[in-house]
Amino acid sequence: MIFLLRRLAFYLAAFIVAATINFFLPRVMPGDPIQMMFASAGSELSLENLNALKLTFGFIEAPLWQQYLTYLQSVFTGDLGLSIKYFPLPVTELLARALVWTVGLMGMATILSFTCGTLLGALAAWKRGSWFDTIVSMTAIFSSSVPAVVISLVMLFVFGYQLGWFPFGYAADPMLDPAFSAQYIGSVIRHGTLPMLTLFIVLVGGFAVTMRNNMINLLGEDYIVMGRAKGLADSRVMLWYAARNALLPTFSSLAIAIGTVLGGSLVTEVVFNYPGLGNVLYQAILARDYPVIQGQLLIMTGAMLVSNFIVDLSYVLLDPRLKKA
């Protein structure tokens, strides 16, 4: 319980630091972001809404410490203001709509790539020097080295344009009304296949390389040699003795991948015109929609901290000795 409370306190402090940077950054930048938002919105933003926006982001006629407390209050109450580009839609509602698509897309890609990459890396290390190890290593290094934008364009050209197997963009057929029906679900799967495969290819190589290197470092340990000398089955030594311990560093890679779920899919979502958080962030940057940009930054920070906290708990479950650390 003490370990849990200490980690919670650490991540809460980290979130407050990130929110503090988010507060001071606009104030050290040249120009007045609020006036820029007002100019960008034109006649769509009334003076009353402008004042509400100032209140939300702490730009009030008050000492700096009071502005900071007002800002923190708005952050912890989930009041992130109104979007400029999609006025008068609240930022929380806009991000919540996009969050569903991004979590579904990146969540599926991350789970599949972690599972496949870990298994392939473990098998490659176990069969080190074989043709299987050579193919897996070369493929993993290649897939993790090619930029996501290149893979996205190749997938789009081959499977979308040349073969015509999958649509070019959107999360579902725009002619269909959203409903829990086989037709709509099938459309969502068909539209999400190419972006998901792109992210899978981008992520799986990193997991495979990390797992392979971890396994190779462990295969020379005494307890692995002892397990083999005792005549235990290869599958048991590989999975229970070696792969289990090699998973610990791999979980760090998983934490980073999960943390970037809410922002790291920007390139893929833009190429496929997928209505997720990455695409919303791109549109917000083009429109200088500061409330959406700041809201997305807070969500990405929170996601990274939560994923790291979950990984910390997983570490303890896999290695109870860490409770004493």
Side-chain angles (χ1 to χ4, degrees):
M1 181 58 72
I2 295 177
F3 171 82
L4 179 65
L5 293 176
R6 280 194 307 182
R7 301 309 293 174
L8 279 175
F10 170 77
Y11 286 119
L12 178 61
F15 181 78
I16 292 176
V17 169
T20 302
I21 294 174
N22 209 18
F23 169 79
F24 283 105
L25 196 58
R27 287 160 177 78
V28 298
M29 292 172 61
D32 186 343
I34 296 297
Q35 292 300 328
M36 292 175 64
M37 282 187 273
F38 184 70
S40 300
S43 60
E44 294 179 345
L45 193 62
S46 64
L47 287 175
E48 292 77 12
N49 288 321
L50 178 65
N51 293 329
L53 207 58
K54 286 183 177 179
L55 182 63
T56 300
F57 286 89
F59 285 93
I60 56 179
E61 298 297 331
L64 190 61
W65 66 267
Q66 193 171 344
Q67 294 183 33
Y68 178 63
L69 292 179
T70 303
Y71 165 77
L72 282 184
Q73 183 182 7
S74 67
V75 169
F76 283 99
T77 55
D79 184 6
L80 301 178
L82 304 174
S83 168
I84 301 300
K85 180 177 175 60
Y86 303 98
F87 183 82
L89 191 66
V91 172
T92 49
E93 187 176 340
L94 174 65
L95 295 181
R97 291 180 184 178
L99 180 67
V100 175
W101 295 111
T102 295
V103 168
L105 178 68
M106 283 293 290
M108 183 64 70
T110 303
I111 292 172
L112 289 178
S113 60
F114 177 76
T115 304
C116 293
T118 301
L119 290 175
L120 288 174
L123 285 172
W126 191 255
K127 300 178 181 296
R128 186 181 182 185
S130 66
W131 62 269
F132 181 81
D133 179 30
T134 303
I135 293 176
V136 169
S137 299
M138 293 180 63
T139 306
I141 293 173
F142 176 77
S143 70
S144 58
S145 302
V146 179
V149 63
V150 176
I151 298 176
S152 302
L153 293 175
V154 170
M155 299 285 283
L156 197 63
F157 178 76
V158 175
F159 297 103
Y161 179 72
Q162 290 291 337
L163 299 176
W165 290 354
F166 299 99
F168 288 91
Y170 304 114
D173 188 345
M175 301 303 292
L176 295 176
D177 292 327
F180 193 72
S181 63
Q183 185 182 16
Y184 187 75
I185 294 174
S187 177
V188 170
I189 294 175
R190 191 160 176 266
H191 281 255
T193 299
L194 285 186
M196 196 278 291
L197 285 177
T198 299
L199 294 169
F200 172 81
I201 294 172
V202 171
L203 294 173
V204 69
F207 289 129
V209 171
T210 303
M211 187 63 184
R212 178 183 179 277
N213 294 338
N214 295 337
M215 279 278 290
I216 288 176
N217 291 332
L218 290 175
L219 289 179
E221 295 291 334
D222 292 340
Y223 63 92
I224 300 292
V225 177
M226 179 64 72
R228 284 175 161 172
K230 289 171 65 177
L232 297 177
D234 282 353
S235 58
R236 181 175 180 182
V237 176
M238 182 183 71
L239 297 176
W240 192 250
Y241 284 62
R244 183 185 178 192
N245 292 308
L247 269 176
L248 288 175
T250 310
F251 266 98
S252 298
S253 302
L254 178 62
I256 296 173
I258 293 175
T260 56
V261 159
L262 304 183
S265 58
L266 188 149
V267 173
T268 304
E269 290 184 359
V270 170
V271 171
F272 290 99
N273 196 21
Y274 200 81
L277 286 174
N279 205 359
V280 169
L281 178 61
Y282 174 71
Q283 299 296 334
I285 292 173
L286 292 181
R288 292 188 176 181
D289 195 343
Y290 285 98
V292 174
I293 296 172
Q294 288 189 307
Q296 177 113 353
L297 175 62
L298 289 174
I299 288 180
M300 291 167 62
T301 304
M304 182 66 77
L305 295 176
V306 169
S307 61
N308 276 281
F309 178 67
I310 294 174
V311 171
D312 280 345
L313 295 182
S314 303
Y315 266 50
V316 173
L317 293 176
L318 291 172
D319 189 354
R321 293 173 300 175
L322 295 176
K323 289 180 180 178
K324 300 176 182 178

